[in-house]
Amino acid sequence: MNADNNCVVEIEYTLTGDDGEVIDTSEGRGPLAYLHGHNNIIPGLENALAGKAVGDSVKVSIPPIDGYGEHDADLIRAVPRGEFPDPDKIEVGMQFQASSDQGPIVVTVTDMDAENITVDGNHELAGHTLHFDVNVVGVREATAEELDHGHVHGPGGHHH
Ligand code: ZN
């Protein structure tokens, strides 16, 4: 069968950046399983995999708009220390959930001084063109429970 909405698709993949450096890979972890048509993966990769079957390989370069978005300077904010419940425990590199106009986002602490703590709500891959090298290793119908949850259960998916 071919990858289509409401299928579980299993992929082996390697993601590299413009400089050829490997950003992420399934190698050593086993395939990733995702539910096609449910926003489990970035749109550019899902579109490239539509209609593919086991044994197909896909090489695709995905611009930021179909990946993790453009880098948005408005998502970087210097927040007064007093707005944090426990500012002395905060360190550069920490991540936490914050509210935004688009709902909850993950922000990363990127800088701090005596007055402010700077947080960045951009995804770490925002603004990057993503180069994927993918092998399709499984395509199956999703179960009713998987469709209900909007994600895959079992190997390569969620365990709960
Ligand atoms: Zn579930």
Side-chain angles (χ1 to χ4, degrees):
M1 69 188 289
N2 299 80
D4 198 355
N5 288 345
N6 303 332
C7 286
V8 172
V9 183
E10 282 184 86
I11 55 172
E12 294 174 342
Y13 69 93
T14 298
L15 167 61
T16 50
D18 278 331
D19 55 5
E21 188 191 341
V22 174
I23 295 169
D24 190 18
T25 177
S26 63
E27 207 177 305
R29 277 208 307 257
L32 169 80
Y34 76 92
L35 187 56
H36 198 95
H38 290 254
N39 298 317
N40 286 182
I41 62 173
I42 56 171
L45 185 56
E46 186 164 74
N47 291 340
L49 288 165
K52 302 299 180 194
V54 172
D56 285 345
S57 296
V58 176
K59 263 191 200 292
V60 61
S61 292
I62 298 169
I65 193 167
D66 292 323
Y68 292 100
E70 297 288 356
H71 193 269
D72 182 355
D74 289 343
L75 292 177
I76 302 172
R77 290 185 54 216
V79 181
R81 295 182 75 98
E83 289 188 22
F84 291 83
D86 222 343
D88 292 339
K89 292 203 172 136
I90 291 173
E91 291 171 22
V92 169
M94 279 184 171
Q95 292 189 313
F96 43 88
Q97 290 242 323
S99 51
S100 81
D101 300 342
Q102 280 97 46
I105 56 169
V106 175
V107 301
T108 307
V109 177
T110 55
D111 198 12
M112 52 203 301
D113 60 25
E115 279 151 36
N116 295 309
I117 292 171
T118 303
V119 296
D120 185 348
N122 286 285
H123 188 279
E124 60 185 323
L125 293 176
H128 288 252
T129 297
L130 307 173
H131 305 275
F132 277 95
D133 198 339
V134 181
N135 295 314
V136 179
V137 297
V139 182
R140 66 169 169 83
E141 301 269 6
T143 65
E145 191 185 50
E146 286 170 328
L147 291 175
D148 191 40
H149 288 202
H151 56 226
V152 175
H153 293 159
H158 285 244
H159 300 273
H160 64 106

